[in-house]
Amino acid sequence: EALRNAAGSLEGKLLVGVINSIGVRRDAGAVELLTEQLESKNADVASAAAVALGRIGNPAATKSLRPKLAGGSLAVRSAVAEGCILCAERSLADGNTKDATDIYDEVRKAEVPHQRIVEATRGAILARGKDGIPLLVEQLRSSDKKLFEMSLSTAREFPGGDVDQTLAAELEKAPPERAALVVLAMADRTQTVKVLAILKAAGSGPVQVRLAAIKALGQVGNATCLDPLLEIAHDTDAELASAAKEALVVLPGDSVDEDLAARLAKADGKTFPLLIELVGQRRIEANEILLKAVKNSDSSVRIAALKALGNTASQKYLSVLVAAVVKPTSADDAEAAQLALKTAAIRMPDREVCAAELADSLDGSSGPTQIVLLDILGS
């Protein structure tokens, strides 16, 4: 009441401040006052009144705002459109879907700033529910960058699983630069995402789409994605191979860890060092296999095994890494062994026992090796 009374005797910025406060408080008793202020010659005052009416959002406020979309001052029309969108949101929240849809459509068709049209289009899609999917597709194919970007963000918040099939279909039709963005939107819908569609995109097609799909699999994939990702990890395209390895490291699911451990037990050839690397980065317990791999004749296997032990070895196996530093199998192994021991030592839960073992290893070591061990002991 105090704010309403003050509004009758103020003007300019002070009046705008009071109107803003009325709007934040959603004072339904101020609708008549705000409707009068819509006619103010001061564009700031009229704009504030329009937004305040939108925040109140009841039928009376909506009735005052809607005619101004077509007949109001152009200087105020953006605020009127914002107010109408707020009213539509209130109607939608109250379950008045038809009213909300009608208001959104009015704003979309009005002569208002483009940003308001974008906002209203988003609302019109969501208010229609499943029936809004065709309108969403229209924006996904729009040449207007803002509408396209809005369609991606709206797709992420769209309820239910129907839109996932739509996105999967659009993925095959969109140009590469857009298809890559569609993939990312699909992956953000973690509960209903069509993993098979993303898996297909990861396997073939334009590189930028494949990269987006591979990255997405790391977010929403599962054990069924292991074979395709392992294959891509050996691709001649270094960027694709690197992306596949990164996806494999973060691929969700305990079953993925179990599958990788089982594969490691019977792996050979070029797949062996890759699986060792993955086991290490995912911190999967496979110490017995890794200990054997440290003695492998292939330096790439030995180095991968040392790095993996750095991430996974318990105190029990620290002596293996100490030995690899003190007496490396070859010069190629030395750097990997030092890094692995440092990584493992820092992880050890009992610092004193670990420190004692490192200190004992100093006796009989060469000068350069002692320096390395002291550095690790300090770390």
Side-chain angles (χ1 to χ4, degrees), residues 20-29 52 54-58 90 94:
N20 288 340
S21 296
I22 289 172
V24 170
R25 294 177 61 82
R26 294 174 62 183
D27 177 18
R55 286 177 173 156
I56 294 169
N58 61 15
R90 177 74 179 276
D94 291 342

Side-chain angles (χ1 to χ4, degrees), residues 54-132:
R55 286 177 173 156
I56 294 169
N58 61 15
T62 305
K63 185 178 179 181
S64 296
L65 278 172
R66 289 174 74 172
K68 298 296 181 181
L69 273 174
S73 163
L74 286 174
V76 181
R77 209 171 290 176
S78 177
V80 171
E82 181 180 352
C84 285
I85 291 170
L86 290 170
C87 287
E89 289 177 357
R90 177 74 179 276
S91 294
L92 189 60
D94 291 342
N96 300 322
T97 305
K98 185 179 183 308
D99 288 346
T101 302
D102 289 345
I103 297 169
Y104 284 131
D105 287 346
E106 277 189 36
V107 176
R108 291 174 58 217
K109 297 172 184 176
E111 189 180 344
V112 295
H114 187 56
Q115 181 57 33
R116 298 291 174 245
I117 293 174
V118 172
E119 293 164 1
T121 304
R122 169 196 170 273
I125 292 168
L126 294 174
R128 285 174 164 83
K130 292 181 181 180
D131 293 336

Side-chain angles (χ1 to χ4, degrees), residues 332-356:
D332 293 337
D333 296 3
E335 185 178 351
Q338 293 166 16
L339 179 60
L341 178 58
K342 192 172 194 175
T343 303
I346 292 170
R347 286 193 301 102
M348 292 300 119
D350 192 330
R351 296 172 61 193
E352 296 305 320
V353 171
C354 177

Side-chain angles (χ1 to χ4, degrees), residues 86-336:
L86 290 170
C87 287
E89 289 177 357
R90 177 74 179 276
S91 294
L92 189 60
D94 291 342
N96 300 322
T97 305
K98 185 179 183 308
D99 288 346
T101 302
D102 289 345
I103 297 169
Y104 284 131
D105 287 346
E106 277 189 36
V107 176
R108 291 174 58 217
K109 297 172 184 176
E111 189 180 344
V112 295
H114 187 56
Q115 181 57 33
R116 298 291 174 245
I117 293 174
V118 172
E119 293 164 1
T121 304
R122 169 196 170 273
I125 292 168
L126 294 174
R128 285 174 164 83
K130 292 181 181 180
D131 293 336
I133 291 179
L135 182 56
L136 175 67
V137 172
E138 183 182 323
Q139 311 318 310
L140 284 169
R141 298 174 182 177
S142 173
S143 58
D144 187 294
K145 183 180 178 181
K146 290 289 185 183
L147 288 172
F148 172 69
E149 290 172 348
M150 176 276 297
S151 70
L152 293 175
S153 61
T154 304
R156 286 175 166 90
E157 58 181 315
F158 205 95
D162 293 318
V163 75
D164 297 278
Q165 191 61 50
T166 299
L167 290 173
E170 279 304 303
L171 176 57
E172 297 185 355
K173 301 173 184 176
E177 63 277 6
R178 289 198 168 194
L181 296 173
V182 171
V183 168
L184 298 181
M186 292 173 69
D188 284 339
R189 295 180 53 82
T190 54
Q191 299 301 313
T192 53
V193 59
K194 300 293 182 184
V195 176
L196 286 178
I198 297 179
L199 197 55
K200 181 179 178 182
S204 62
V207 172
Q208 66 185 111
V209 181
R210 293 186 68 189
L211 286 171
I214 292 167
K215 178 181 178 182
L217 288 176
Q219 182 180 340
V220 299
N222 50 48
T224 64
C225 304
L226 276 174
D227 282 327
L229 285 174
L230 286 169
E231 184 178 345
I232 298 171
H234 293 295
D235 198 283
T236 53
D237 186 309
E239 194 173 11
L240 288 171
S242 176
K245 289 179 184 178
E246 291 175 8
L248 284 163
V249 170
V250 297
L251 194 65
D254 291 339
S255 61
V256 173
D257 288 347
E258 295 169 4
D259 197 324
L260 286 172
R263 288 168 186 259
L264 181 64
K266 52 188 178 183
D268 55 18
K270 63 180 182 180
T271 304
F272 194 27
L274 171 61
L275 287 171
I276 291 174
E277 181 182 344
L278 293 173
V279 163
Q281 291 189 9
R282 291 180 68 93
R283 289 174 167 75
I284 301 170
E285 200 285 319
N287 287 322
E288 296 302 324
I289 298 173
L290 295 178
L291 289 172
K292 292 179 181 179
V294 167
K295 301 175 183 179
N296 194 286
S297 59
D298 187 333
S299 64
S300 66
V301 172
R302 293 196 306 273
I303 290 172
L306 286 167
K307 290 180 179 178
L309 283 169
N311 287 326
T312 64
S314 61
Q315 182 75 49
K316 176 182 176 182
Y317 299 107
L318 192 66
S319 59
V320 175
L321 293 176
V322 172
V325 170
V326 175
K327 294 181 179 179
T329 303
S330 71
D332 293 337
D333 296 3
E335 185 178 351

